[in-house]
Amino acid sequence: MLVEFAGGVLAQSLALVADAGHMLTDAAALALAWAAVRIASRPADAKRSFGYQRLRVLATFVNGCALLFIVAWIGVEAIQRLLNPVPVNAQAILWIGSLGLAVNLIVFAMLTRGDKHDMNVSAAALHVMGDLLGSVGAIVAALVIMWTGWLPIDPILSIFVSALIVRSAIKLVRRSAHILMEGSPEWLDQGELRRTLEQKIPAIVDVHHVHTWSVGPQETLLTMHALVSATADQALVLKDTKALLAERFGITHATIQIEVEDCVDKDCGEQAPLKADRVARG
């Protein structure tokens, strides 16, 4: 980062300075990701009954916002360079960009060996991917300037590299914000979950008041009310429901309230009374 920043200032290359800016955020992003992984591994305690898993999601959100900020800054600088081209030292850009590319390839290879389903690791890898593309852009810009002398290629490639990572950065911010807002997991269809429980467990008349959310990137939690017939074995219904949730949907942390005959909630299914009557009559 320091070499690219110094080289970018001396060579007056926006591509190198932009890549150094990426590396600055990446250094912080990698440190934040590492700290989140370490802290998230701590067990639950009296103050945090779910542990520290949510910290990974928070780190992802912060990293994603940092990416969007640096991309916006590069865009503004690139537009200014397009309006007022500045001579650059193409040979210095080429050598420094090649050094940056080598370093980023090594770091990116190390990160891709990690957990690919962890948003925190994905956010860190995306930061490094942005740097890697920035180094490639700097090398291409240097070659074009050396061969043709066309100076606008430097800011143009900076914009192009930034655009490549904007979509992924927005996706990371949206996913992490969704979890932080206690949103239902995107892969889970609550309608299908209710229908499955009602069809597979005959004693259940209606499933309602369903709430699902994620503590971390992988663990899903659920609370629900289950209306059962008067003759149902409540302990068996609870056991079968938890087993079905774990097997079919991968939900192992569920809190289930059993209700008998009468539903006390406003969001009970409209068909619940009819099904209850059929169950009662055998």
Side-chain angles (χ1 to χ4, degrees):
M1 177 192 71
L2 293 175
V3 170
E4 285 206 337
F5 179 76
V9 172
L10 294 175
Q12 301 191 61
S13 168
L14 179 60
L16 281 181
V17 173
D19 202 25
H22 272 145
M23 284 193 173
L24 176 61
T25 60
D26 292 347
L30 291 172
L32 182 60
W34 175 80
V37 170
R38 292 294 298 272
I39 297 175
S41 63
R42 295 179 180 176
D45 54 37
K47 291 185 177 180
R48 296 173 180 82
S49 59
F50 288 112
Y52 296 79
Q53 299 181 57
R54 184 62 62 84
L55 188 59
R56 291 188 176 191
V57 182
L58 182 59
T60 301
F61 181 79
V62 173
N63 280 334
C65 290
L67 270 171
L68 294 177
F69 175 80
I70 197 69
V71 164
W73 174 78
I74 292 172
V76 172
E77 290 295 320
I79 291 174
Q80 292 179 353
R81 283 292 184 94
L82 285 173
L83 296 176
N84 300 290
V86 176
V88 298
N89 187 330
Q91 290 186 344
I93 297 174
L94 179 60
W95 285 107
I96 297 173
S98 299
L99 176 62
L101 177 62
V103 173
N104 285 315
L105 283 172
I106 294 172
V107 177
F108 186 74
M110 294 171 64
L111 284 174
T112 52
R113 290 201 299 265
D115 186 357
K116 296 181 180 179
H117 300 288
D118 189 335
M119 286 192 301
N120 185 44
V121 176
S122 297
L126 184 58
H127 273 273
V128 178
M129 173 61 78
D131 275 340
L132 195 154
L133 293 175
S135 297
V136 172
I139 294 172
V140 172
L143 294 175
V144 171
I145 293 172
M146 289 173 65
W147 293 339
T148 67
W150 192 51
L151 296 178
I153 188 63
D154 185 59
I156 288 175
L157 285 178
S158 298
I159 295 175
F160 176 72
V161 170
S162 298
L164 291 177
I165 62 176
V166 164
R167 183 177 179 181
S168 297
I170 292 175
K171 184 177 179 181
L172 281 175
V173 171
R174 184 183 294 118
R175 287 180 60 196
S176 56
H178 183 72
I179 294 178
L180 292 174
M181 292 293 292
E182 305 288 356
S184 180
E186 297 176 355
W187 57 266
L188 180 63
D189 185 338
Q190 288 195 11
E192 179 188 357
L193 184 145
R194 294 174 60 175
R195 290 190 297 270
T196 300
L197 292 176
E198 292 172 4
Q199 293 171 3
K200 298 293 183 180
I201 304 177
I204 294 182
V205 178
D206 179 63
V207 174
H208 56 278
H209 209 46
V210 179
H211 296 282
T212 54
W213 70 100
S214 300
V215 174
Q218 298 175 343
E219 184 177 3
T220 299
L221 280 67
L222 174 145
T223 63
M224 55 170 271
H225 291 189
L227 179 64
V228 301
S229 58
T231 58
D233 184 337
Q234 296 182 32
L236 182 60
V237 170
L238 187 60
K239 179 181 178 181
D240 290 345
T241 301
K242 290 205 170 193
L244 184 57
L245 286 172
E247 178 183 353
R248 181 69 178 272
F249 300 98
I251 300 175
T252 57
H253 193 132
T255 301
I256 303 169
Q257 177 175 312
I258 300 294
E259 299 172 344
V260 181
E261 291 189 331
D262 295 326
C263 175
V264 298
D265 297 296
K266 295 181 179 180
D267 58 346
C268 296
E270 296 180 358
Q271 300 302 319
L274 296 176
K275 185 176 179 181
D277 182 60
R278 290 197 297 270
V279 171
R281 290 182 297 177

